[in-house]
Amino acid sequence: MIVFAPIIIPLLFIILSLSLNKASNAAQRIVFMAGNIITIGVGVTILATVLSEGMIVAQAGAWEAPYGITLVADTFSGIMLTLTSLTVGVVSLYSLAWKEDNLNTSVFYALIFGLQMGMNGAFVAGDLFNLYVWFEVMLISSFVLISYGSGKVQLKGTLKYVTMNLVSSFFFVAGIAVLYGEVGTLNMADLAYRVREMGSELNIFAPSALILMGFAVKSAIFPFYFWLPDSYHTPPLPVSALFSGTLTKVGVYSMIRFFSLIHVEGDVFYNQLFLFVASATMISGVLMATSQFEVRRLLSFHIVSQIGYMILGLGLFTKLALTGAVFYIIGHCVVKTNLFLLSGIGYKYTGTFDLKKSGGLIKKSPFVAILFFISAMALVGIPPLSGFFGKFMLIKAGIESKEFIHVASALAVSFLTLFSMIKIWNEAYAKDLPQSVLENGFKWGRPSNQLIVSSVILVVVTLGLTVGSKFIIDVCSTAADQLLDIDGYVKTVLKK
Amino acid sequence: MELILSIVIGVLYTVGVFFLLRRSMIRIILGVLFLGNATNLLIFVASGVTPDAQPSFLSSSTEAASSNMADPMPQALILTAIVISFGVVAYLLTLLRKTHEITGEEDMDQLK
């Protein structure tokens, strides 16, 4: 029954925060943080249960699979539940101290819980239509969050985001419709079973291609990523940080879940497609990032680029590659969120997100500079920081599978990422403030300590990924084993 | 029946895409509405149109009737999809109205 908790608890807290609309600000904040802590607790509990007792399956209303609504949590779901609730928790702490954009209202708190409910639902959904519904729950909350502030810029960004995501949802539903017509089931375990009986994943080529389109837009992979850098830099910074860390990962998670389940031994069409898409995503994302000077836009293009590494793991589809991909998702989610949070701290100091107009942070606050340096190097993958382990496993798996072109592009992209991070370092931290800014009566701002503490928590998690890397890699490889063991998944869910 | 409905779906998709690619804001809502309805019809047609079948829960007791039952699943899916697209369109209307109010623009190309 614990699989229902990650959905029900955020729902309860939505109701609670909205009903506290008239209560004092302090009460609202306490409920907000309590909700986040409980959700993290639920995520950790599910992960621990899955690790000790194996997959958890629950049927809503006691309708046996494949007829009812099935909720499934395996190690990968457990990891994602823990990871996203942790990220949301830290960003929530950060948003309480942001003090701009009117973020501290009960509606904002309710929306964050709504987002969390949608994501958690997507992680435990056992059938495709249920997955679609959770996607929509997540999207509707994110639609409102991304338009927060309702300035001209936000509304422009929101329009692009909303339209693209709606169209992708229609692709997804159309895929579900055709799939139901062809196979007669939407339960993912039952689907995996029947596709293997058919003998080839290409028997459901039309629906799976439509569903891939839906996932591709949501996870921003080549060539469907143009909406992301256009809309992720417009909302208030805590919202950008939240979206960059978590939302695209839900798309990647669903893609890995769906395509690993319908994979049939010997079919290489989708693997080759994913490899090509992965390289194209990595290279085009990072190349466009190099020309950016708005720090949030620059980081947004890097999200696109790094989604490519995760898809690379799916394309290679060996145990090592999937372990690397899962580890990379963990490291990336933490580090990317933190880079956004730090750019917000930089903004509090200098009052701008434009790299050309900022500078001098290393003298102003060496501590923040260290936090940035660790996060940036972890993103690039300098050993022994978290990005290194993920990339190392992915590249080793690529060499073992003899996909040398994709390995080469993964390595080249690492160098370009380093270039971008050094650019932020030089422009915002190392160089002195430009003369033109100083002449205009520049004054240093001061971020509150709570902002810096939130960032410190994420840096500690990043360092924890290094210190505890053996344990984390073991957990990731269990997740990879379960992803590859399709028979086990089918047996556990369908009991046959 | 399937043929006619398939053609209708095709036309709805065409019109929806055409509207989405226009520059006027109001056409975006129309486009989304058309695409949504086309998708709902697609769920209906893709799972098989059975004009002679009976509603599944009315006559499940008798053996003869149960062999000729309509599949309730696609209808449940369509119902959910309709509700979701209703909510989304309501949000989109508000969003576009607010955008129009703040920017004073009706042309999407001016909103770069």
PDB file of all heavy atoms in Angstrom, chain A residues 293-300 339-340 343 352-355 424:
ATOM      1  N   PHE A 293      25.260  34.248 -23.322  1.00  0.00           N
ATOM      2  CA  PHE A 293      25.833  35.017 -22.216  1.00  0.00           C
ATOM      3  C   PHE A 293      24.839  35.268 -21.094  1.00  0.00           C
ATOM      4  O   PHE A 293      25.174  35.876 -20.101  1.00  0.00           O
ATOM      5  CB  PHE A 293      26.418  36.340 -22.720  1.00  0.00           C
ATOM      6  CG  PHE A 293      27.833  36.182 -23.181  1.00  0.00           C
ATOM      7  CD1 PHE A 293      28.108  35.911 -24.505  1.00  0.00           C
ATOM      8  CD2 PHE A 293      28.886  36.264 -22.281  1.00  0.00           C
ATOM      9  CE1 PHE A 293      29.414  35.730 -24.932  1.00  0.00           C
ATOM     10  CE2 PHE A 293      30.186  36.089 -22.699  1.00  0.00           C
ATOM     11  CZ  PHE A 293      30.460  35.827 -24.026  1.00  0.00           C
ATOM     12  N   GLU A 294      23.592  34.812 -21.270  1.00  0.00           N
ATOM     13  CA  GLU A 294      22.623  34.887 -20.185  1.00  0.00           C
ATOM     14  C   GLU A 294      22.774  33.577 -19.428  1.00  0.00           C
ATOM     15  O   GLU A 294      22.610  32.508 -20.016  1.00  0.00           O
ATOM     16  CB  GLU A 294      21.213  35.045 -20.762  1.00  0.00           C
ATOM     17  CG  GLU A 294      20.285  35.918 -19.953  1.00  0.00           C
ATOM     18  CD  GLU A 294      19.601  35.184 -18.831  1.00  0.00           C
ATOM     19  OE1 GLU A 294      20.118  34.158 -18.392  1.00  0.00           O
ATOM     20  OE2 GLU A 294      18.545  35.656 -18.398  1.00  0.00           O
ATOM     21  N   VAL A 295      23.097  33.637 -18.146  1.00  0.00           N
ATOM     22  CA  VAL A 295      23.531  32.414 -17.475  1.00  0.00           C
ATOM     23  C   VAL A 295      22.427  31.357 -17.429  1.00  0.00           C
ATOM     24  O   VAL A 295      22.674  30.172 -17.600  1.00  0.00           O
ATOM     25  CB  VAL A 295      24.119  32.723 -16.079  1.00  0.00           C
ATOM     26  CG1 VAL A 295      23.110  33.334 -15.173  1.00  0.00           C
ATOM     27  CG2 VAL A 295      24.701  31.490 -15.445  1.00  0.00           C
ATOM     28  N   ARG A 296      21.148  31.802 -17.289  1.00  0.00           N
ATOM     29  CA  ARG A 296      20.085  30.808 -17.232  1.00  0.00           C
ATOM     30  C   ARG A 296      19.871  30.137 -18.589  1.00  0.00           C
ATOM     31  O   ARG A 296      19.601  28.949 -18.684  1.00  0.00           O
ATOM     32  CB  ARG A 296      18.781  31.461 -16.763  1.00  0.00           C
ATOM     33  CG  ARG A 296      18.810  31.879 -15.306  1.00  0.00           C
ATOM     34  CD  ARG A 296      17.577  32.645 -14.939  1.00  0.00           C
ATOM     35  NE  ARG A 296      17.449  33.864 -15.718  1.00  0.00           N
ATOM     36  CZ  ARG A 296      16.418  34.688 -15.655  1.00  0.00           C
ATOM     37  NH1 ARG A 296      15.412  34.421 -14.871  1.00  0.00           N
ATOM     38  NH2 ARG A 296      16.379  35.777 -16.383  1.00  0.00           N
ATOM     39  N   ARG A 297      19.991  30.925 -19.664  1.00  0.00           N
ATOM     40  CA  ARG A 297      19.863  30.338 -21.007  1.00  0.00           C
ATOM     41  C   ARG A 297      20.995  29.364 -21.275  1.00  0.00           C
ATOM     42  O   ARG A 297      20.796  28.280 -21.820  1.00  0.00           O
ATOM     43  CB  ARG A 297      19.872  31.442 -22.068  1.00  0.00           C
ATOM     44  CG  ARG A 297      18.515  31.977 -22.404  1.00  0.00           C
ATOM     45  CD  ARG A 297      18.626  32.993 -23.518  1.00  0.00           C
ATOM     46  NE  ARG A 297      18.651  32.368 -24.819  1.00  0.00           N
ATOM     47  CZ  ARG A 297      17.559  32.128 -25.532  1.00  0.00           C
ATOM     48  NH1 ARG A 297      16.389  32.459 -25.071  1.00  0.00           N
ATOM     49  NH2 ARG A 297      17.649  31.564 -26.704  1.00  0.00           N
ATOM     50  N   LEU A 298      22.202  29.769 -20.859  1.00  0.00           N
ATOM     51  CA  LEU A 298      23.369  28.897 -21.046  1.00  0.00           C
ATOM     52  C   LEU A 298      23.151  27.556 -20.351  1.00  0.00           C
ATOM     53  O   LEU A 298      23.343  26.489 -20.937  1.00  0.00           O
ATOM     54  CB  LEU A 298      24.590  29.621 -20.483  1.00  0.00           C
ATOM     55  CG  LEU A 298      25.979  29.128 -20.839  1.00  0.00           C
ATOM     56  CD1 LEU A 298      26.980  30.239 -20.603  1.00  0.00           C
ATOM     57  CD2 LEU A 298      26.396  27.920 -20.060  1.00  0.00           C
ATOM     58  N   LEU A 299      22.690  27.622 -19.091  1.00  0.00           N
ATOM     59  CA  LEU A 299      22.474  26.386 -18.349  1.00  0.00           C
ATOM     60  C   LEU A 299      21.341  25.570 -18.963  1.00  0.00           C
ATOM     61  O   LEU A 299      21.387  24.345 -18.965  1.00  0.00           O
ATOM     62  CB  LEU A 299      22.172  26.710 -16.884  1.00  0.00           C
ATOM     63  CG  LEU A 299      23.349  27.262 -16.082  1.00  0.00           C
ATOM     64  CD1 LEU A 299      22.895  27.693 -14.707  1.00  0.00           C
ATOM     65  CD2 LEU A 299      24.434  26.209 -15.959  1.00  0.00           C
ATOM     66  N   SER A 300      20.320  26.258 -19.534  1.00  0.00           N
ATOM     67  CA  SER A 300      19.215  25.539 -20.162  1.00  0.00           C
ATOM     68  C   SER A 300      19.701  24.716 -21.339  1.00  0.00           C
ATOM     69  O   SER A 300      19.294  23.571 -21.518  1.00  0.00           O
ATOM     70  CB  SER A 300      18.144  26.506 -20.645  1.00  0.00           C
ATOM     71  OG  SER A 300      17.599  27.208 -19.582  1.00  0.00           O
ATOM     72  N   LEU A 339      23.367  24.513  -9.800  1.00  0.00           N
ATOM     73  CA  LEU A 339      23.925  25.585 -10.627  1.00  0.00           C
ATOM     74  C   LEU A 339      22.906  26.705 -10.809  1.00  0.00           C
ATOM     75  O   LEU A 339      23.251  27.887 -10.795  1.00  0.00           O
ATOM     76  CB  LEU A 339      24.386  25.041 -11.975  1.00  0.00           C
ATOM     77  CG  LEU A 339      25.680  24.232 -11.929  1.00  0.00           C
ATOM     78  CD1 LEU A 339      25.969  23.603 -13.269  1.00  0.00           C
ATOM     79  CD2 LEU A 339      26.846  25.124 -11.524  1.00  0.00           C
ATOM     80  N   PHE A 340      21.635  26.321 -10.976  1.00  0.00           N
ATOM     81  CA  PHE A 340      20.599  27.353 -11.078  1.00  0.00           C
ATOM     82  C   PHE A 340      20.478  28.125  -9.767  1.00  0.00           C
ATOM     83  O   PHE A 340      20.396  29.352  -9.770  1.00  0.00           O
ATOM     84  CB  PHE A 340      19.253  26.719 -11.444  1.00  0.00           C
ATOM     85  CG  PHE A 340      18.990  26.701 -12.920  1.00  0.00           C
ATOM     86  CD1 PHE A 340      19.370  25.628 -13.688  1.00  0.00           C
ATOM     87  CD2 PHE A 340      18.373  27.766 -13.541  1.00  0.00           C
ATOM     88  CE1 PHE A 340      19.138  25.611 -15.047  1.00  0.00           C
ATOM     89  CE2 PHE A 340      18.139  27.755 -14.892  1.00  0.00           C
ATOM     90  CZ  PHE A 340      18.518  26.681 -15.655  1.00  0.00           C
ATOM     91  N   SER A 343      23.287  30.489  -9.554  1.00  0.00           N
ATOM     92  CA  SER A 343      23.154  31.659 -10.420  1.00  0.00           C
ATOM     93  C   SER A 343      22.171  32.648  -9.798  1.00  0.00           C
ATOM     94  O   SER A 343      22.310  33.856  -9.971  1.00  0.00           O
ATOM     95  CB  SER A 343      22.730  31.253 -11.826  1.00  0.00           C
ATOM     96  OG  SER A 343      21.389  30.871 -11.851  1.00  0.00           O
ATOM     97  N   THR A 352      22.079  40.942 -11.682  1.00  0.00           N
ATOM     98  CA  THR A 352      21.885  40.637 -13.101  1.00  0.00           C
ATOM     99  C   THR A 352      22.191  39.170 -13.377  1.00  0.00           C
ATOM    100  O   THR A 352      22.948  38.527 -12.648  1.00  0.00           O
ATOM    101  CB  THR A 352      22.793  41.504 -13.992  1.00  0.00           C
ATOM    102  OG1 THR A 352      22.599  41.115 -15.346  1.00  0.00           O
ATOM    103  CG2 THR A 352      24.254  41.334 -13.637  1.00  0.00           C
ATOM    104  N   PHE A 353      21.545  38.655 -14.448  1.00  0.00           N
ATOM    105  CA  PHE A 353      21.860  37.308 -14.899  1.00  0.00           C
ATOM    106  C   PHE A 353      22.794  37.359 -16.102  1.00  0.00           C
ATOM    107  O   PHE A 353      23.208  36.339 -16.625  1.00  0.00           O
ATOM    108  CB  PHE A 353      20.587  36.552 -15.296  1.00  0.00           C
ATOM    109  CG  PHE A 353      19.792  36.068 -14.124  1.00  0.00           C
ATOM    110  CD1 PHE A 353      18.556  36.610 -13.832  1.00  0.00           C
ATOM    111  CD2 PHE A 353      20.275  35.052 -13.320  1.00  0.00           C
ATOM    112  CE1 PHE A 353      17.824  36.154 -12.753  1.00  0.00           C
ATOM    113  CE2 PHE A 353      19.546  34.598 -12.247  1.00  0.00           C
ATOM    114  CZ  PHE A 353      18.317  35.152 -11.960  1.00  0.00           C
ATOM    115  N   ASP A 354      23.087  38.574 -16.581  1.00  0.00           N
ATOM    116  CA  ASP A 354      23.925  38.716 -17.767  1.00  0.00           C
ATOM    117  C   ASP A 354      25.394  38.574 -17.363  1.00  0.00           C
ATOM    118  O   ASP A 354      25.893  39.329 -16.537  1.00  0.00           O
ATOM    119  CB  ASP A 354      23.676  40.086 -18.409  1.00  0.00           C
ATOM    120  CG  ASP A 354      24.335  40.179 -19.760  1.00  0.00           C
ATOM    121  OD1 ASP A 354      25.212  39.338 -20.051  1.00  0.00           O
ATOM    122  OD2 ASP A 354      23.966  41.081 -20.535  1.00  0.00           O
ATOM    123  N   LEU A 355      26.077  37.594 -17.981  1.00  0.00           N
ATOM    124  CA  LEU A 355      27.472  37.336 -17.580  1.00  0.00           C
ATOM    125  C   LEU A 355      28.377  38.518 -17.885  1.00  0.00           C
ATOM    126  O   LEU A 355      29.343  38.771 -17.190  1.00  0.00           O
ATOM    127  CB  LEU A 355      27.993  36.087 -18.289  1.00  0.00           C
ATOM    128  CG  LEU A 355      27.455  34.767 -17.763  1.00  0.00           C
ATOM    129  CD1 LEU A 355      27.948  33.621 -18.607  1.00  0.00           C
ATOM    130  CD2 LEU A 355      27.884  34.562 -16.325  1.00  0.00           C
ATOM    131  N   ILE A 424      31.517  30.640 -17.444  1.00  0.00           N
ATOM    132  CA  ILE A 424      30.753  31.220 -16.311  1.00  0.00           C
ATOM    133  C   ILE A 424      31.710  31.603 -15.192  1.00  0.00           C
ATOM    134  O   ILE A 424      31.607  32.667 -14.588  1.00  0.00           O
ATOM    135  CB  ILE A 424      29.704  30.224 -15.765  1.00  0.00           C
ATOM    136  CG1 ILE A 424      28.753  29.796 -16.864  1.00  0.00           C
ATOM    137  CG2 ILE A 424      28.919  30.842 -14.623  1.00  0.00           C
ATOM    138  CD1 ILE A 424      27.649  28.912 -16.378  1.00  0.00           C
TER     139      ILE A 424
END
